[in-house]
Amino acid sequence: MGSTGETGSGRPSGTRDRDGEGRARNARPRDGLGRPLPYGADGVPRQPEGVVRTPEETVAQAQRLLDEGKPFHAHEVFEDAWKSGPDRERELWRGLAQLAVGLTHAARGNLTGGARLLRRGAGAAEAWVSEAGQALPHGIDVVGVASWARELAEEVERDGRAVDAGARAPRLRAGGAGRRSGGR
């Protein structure tokens, strides 16, 4: 270790991972659920941070990632929308990000945290809909997605086991909300 100038992790010793602007960033590869892998391992490409997308692009990208069993990465897409979108929509996108993180935790086996975040995200998104008076913002079936989240929270608490994130991905758009068939 010492003679190569690297830590046991494969990262050069005495250095921190930094982005192009010099901010500390963990450059370790991640798996589909966002768990860090050892340096040099093949991981899932991370979502670039700070991407400004239209709401339609956000929903389409997040749905694709959810369907692929990558809710951690979908959360990053929602987080970009919450940080770059109009202030009046921040709580909607934040609630959807919490739902994606809740699914991430439920898939990783953190059932208590997953259930808590699923319920918190459902409540935040529904509160936004109630306050904004928009039942289907950007075509998102918030009521259906919130129902999916609460059902999944109950399931993970009742069954006491991790879920398959891709099989349990919600349908974000109206006409297809809730979980996909065959999800258990």
Side-chain angles (χ1 to χ4, degrees), residues 24-64:
R25 296 273 187 235
N26 188 329
R28 286 174 60 183
R30 304 263 176 170
D31 71 5
L33 293 174
R35 293 176 289 222
L37 299 170
Y39 284 95
D42 289 332
V44 172
R46 297 189 61 180
Q47 295 302 303
E49 292 184 43
V51 175
V52 178
R53 299 172 185 86
T54 66
E56 291 72 23
E57 291 168 334
T58 294
V59 174
Q61 178 74 3
Q63 186 69 69
R64 182 183 65 75

Side-chain angles (χ1 to χ4, degrees), residues 87-89 91-92 123-135:
D87 285 345
R88 68 183 181 279
E89 293 185 357
E91 292 305 306
L92 169 66
E126 286 176 324
W128 183 88
V129 165
S130 178
E131 186 174 308
Q134 295 182 31

Side-chain angles (χ1 to χ4, degrees), residues 17-143:
D17 296 332
R18 300 214 177 256
D19 67 12
E21 282 106 44
R23 290 185 304 250
R25 296 273 187 235
N26 188 329
R28 286 174 60 183
R30 304 263 176 170
D31 71 5
L33 293 174
R35 293 176 289 222
L37 299 170
Y39 284 95
D42 289 332
V44 172
R46 297 189 61 180
Q47 295 302 303
E49 292 184 43
V51 175
V52 178
R53 299 172 185 86
T54 66
E56 291 72 23
E57 291 168 334
T58 294
V59 174
Q61 178 74 3
Q63 186 69 69
R64 182 183 65 75
L65 291 164
L66 289 165
D67 290 345
E68 291 174 2
K70 301 174 187 170
F72 175 82
H73 302 278
H75 129 268
E76 292 178 326
V77 171
F78 287 135
E79 189 172 276
D80 282 341
W82 135 35
K83 292 179 177 179
S84 68
D87 285 345
R88 68 183 181 279
E89 293 185 357
R90 286 186 64 133
E91 292 305 306
L92 169 66
W93 299 116
R94 188 173 67 86
L96 292 171
Q98 287 174 330
L99 290 170
V101 173
L103 178 56
T104 299
H105 283 282
R108 287 178 176 176
N110 175 4
L111 307 180
T112 301
R116 186 175 297 129
L117 282 164
L118 286 162
R119 288 187 180 103
R120 184 180 306 152
E126 286 176 324
W128 183 88
V129 165
S130 178
E131 186 174 308
Q134 295 182 31
L136 298 170
H138 309 294
I140 303 166
D141 181 3
V142 175
V143 172

Side-chain angles (χ1 to χ4, degrees), residues 5-23:
E6 291 188 357
T7 66
S9 67
R11 180 174 45 89
S13 61
T15 64
R16 291 183 72 184
D17 296 332
R18 300 214 177 256
D19 67 12
E21 282 106 44
R23 290 185 304 250

